[in-house]
Amino acid sequence: MIRKNAVAGQFYPHNPNKLKIMIESFIEKETSKIDAKGIIMPHAGYIYSGKVATVTVEKIRPKKRVIILGPNHMGTGETFSMFSRGEWEIPSGRIKIDEELAQAILNHSDLIKEDVSAHIYEHSIEVELPILHYFFKDFKFLPIVCSLSSLETYRKVAHHIFKTIKNIKDDILIIASSDMTHYEEDYRARKKDSYAIESIVKLNEEELLKRIKEKDISMCGVAPVSILIACCKLLKAKKATVTLYRTSGDITKDTSSVVGYLGAVIY
C-alpha cells in the first residue's frame, strides 16, 4: 500500500526543490554527531518548528532503521496503531516501511496492532519524514500512532518494542513526535514546558505524566514521549539533552497565543 502525503503543501513545501532549500535554511552545520537511542521532534508547519526538528536530526548519526511514534490527533484506529506494509510518499520520493521489524513487533505485542485508518490523515509522523530523508538518505521506518493511555500501558508498549529490537544487529533509532504547550501566552507556555522538559531530561516518564496532569500541560505527544523514554532506558540510555526549544511566537512575534516546540536527544 502507498500512503499518499496528506499535508504536503500545508505543513511543508510540496515542491522537492523548495522543500530542500527550506530544510537547508535551518541547518547549523553541526560537525560532531551523537549516537542516539532516541530523539524528540516537533511536528508543526516547518515555518514554525522546522528549525527545531532539523537541528535535532542534524546532531545525530544517521540510522538505516527508524521507529516513529506519533500522537493521534484524528481519534481514529486502535490505541497503538501500526502501518506495517508498503511505502509512504513524500515530495522527494517514497520511503519503505520496515516490514520485517513491523511483523516482529506485532509478534511480541498484544497492544500494538495493525491499523491503517489511524495513519491516513495523521500529520504527526509524516512531517518528520522529509527531514529524516534529507539527512539519512536511504532508510526504512515503522510508524506507530499512539493514543492516550496509562503509565503502565506505556511501559508495556516500550517493553514490547525493546524485546523485539534488543537482539537485532542493526542500530534502530526511536523517534517521538510531539509539540508542547498549545495556545497559551508565551511566558506561560515556556514556564509549563520547562517544567515538563525537566522530567524528560531526567528520563523520568512517571514524573512527566504527573507534571503534565498537575499543570494541565497540553503536550500532544505525551504517549509517544513516555514510551520513548521507557524504551530508551531499557536500551541503556543514560542521558537526554535539549537541542532547541522555541515557540511559535519566536516566528510570528505574537506572544498572546503560542505553541511550544522541543527538540531533544536521548543517548
Side-chain angles (χ1 to χ4, degrees):
M1 178 178 180
I2 306 301
R3 193 269 193 187
K4 299 289 186 180
N5 52 49
V7 294
Q10 302 172 51
F11 282 63
Y12 57 88
H14 196 283
N15 179 282
N17 291 329
K18 290 181 178 179
L19 177 59
K20 181 174 181 286
I21 290 169
M22 190 174 200
I23 292 171
E24 289 179 345
S25 73
F26 300 138
I27 290 174
E28 294 187 339
K29 297 183 179 179
E30 184 71 39
T31 54
S32 60
K33 303 288 184 181
I34 298 171
D35 187 17
K37 302 290 186 184
I39 61 174
I40 298 170
M41 297 172 66
H43 54 242
Y46 281 16
I47 189 172
Y48 303 111
S49 69
K51 175 74 173 182
V52 177
T54 297
V55 299
T56 301
V57 178
E58 185 186 7
K59 288 181 184 296
I60 66 172
R61 292 178 184 170
K63 303 293 175 78
K64 293 295 184 182
R65 305 178 82 174
V66 177
I67 297 172
I68 308 180
L69 309 169
N72 191 337
H73 292 96
M74 308 306 293
T76 58
E78 298 285 343
T79 305
F80 302 98
S81 300
M82 178 192 291
F83 194 113
S84 63
R85 298 185 185 91
E87 299 175 314
W88 278 34
E89 183 182 76
I90 62 172
S92 51
R94 292 176 180 173
I95 304 176
K96 293 182 182 297
I97 296 293
D98 194 330
E99 297 182 6
E100 178 186 1
L101 180 59
Q103 192 56 54
I105 289 178
L106 290 171
N107 290 341
H108 276 105
S109 181
D110 59 350
L111 293 171
I112 303 171
K113 299 178 180 180
E114 282 187 282
D115 193 325
V116 172
S117 66
H119 291 266
I120 299 302
Y121 301 109
E122 176 58 54
H123 69 276
S124 64
I125 293 175
E126 176 186 329
V127 296
E128 317 297 14
L129 292 177
I131 295 171
L132 292 168
H133 184 258
Y134 179 89
F135 288 102
F136 290 7
K137 307 305 180 190
D138 182 29
F139 73 100
K140 294 185 291 185
F141 84 111
L142 183 59
I144 304 173
V145 167
C146 307
S147 299
L148 293 175
S149 190
S150 65
L151 172 64
E152 180 184 6
T153 302
Y154 297 150
R155 285 176 168 168
K156 284 181 179 178
V157 170
H159 190 257
H160 294 167
I161 294 172
F162 167 72
K163 280 199 304 182
T164 304
I165 66 178
K166 67 176 181 178
N167 294 320
I168 294 176
K169 291 182 180 179
D170 296 326
D171 210 2
I172 297 172
L173 178 72
I174 306 171
I175 298 173
S177 175
S178 181
D179 293 338
M180 300 299 289
T181 293
H182 289 64
Y183 310 122
E184 296 196 34
E185 290 180 86
D186 191 86
Y187 81 96
R188 290 185 183 275
R190 291 178 186 274
K191 187 174 182 179
K192 284 186 172 185
D193 288 348
S194 177
Y195 194 54
I197 290 167
E198 284 178 2
S199 300
I200 294 171
V201 170
K202 289 191 289 186
L203 295 177
N204 190 330
E205 70 275 17
E206 182 174 7
E207 183 179 87
L208 174 64
L209 292 175
K210 287 179 180 178
R211 289 189 173 197
I212 284 173
K213 184 176 181 180
E214 175 192 346
K215 298 295 185 182
D216 192 25
I217 301 171
S218 52
M219 173 183 171
C220 60
V222 60
V225 172
S226 296
I227 295 167
L228 171 72
I229 293 171
C231 194
C232 284
K233 287 193 293 185
L234 291 170
L235 292 167
K236 309 300 183 185
K238 301 296 183 185
K239 295 182 179 180
T241 58
V242 173
T243 55
L244 186 61
Y245 173 84
R246 283 185 169 185
T247 74
S248 56
D250 290 317
I251 303 300
T252 65
K253 307 308 176 185
D254 179 359
T255 58
S256 63
S257 180
V258 306
V259 179
Y261 308 116
L262 169 70
V265 176
I266 301 175
Y267 56 101

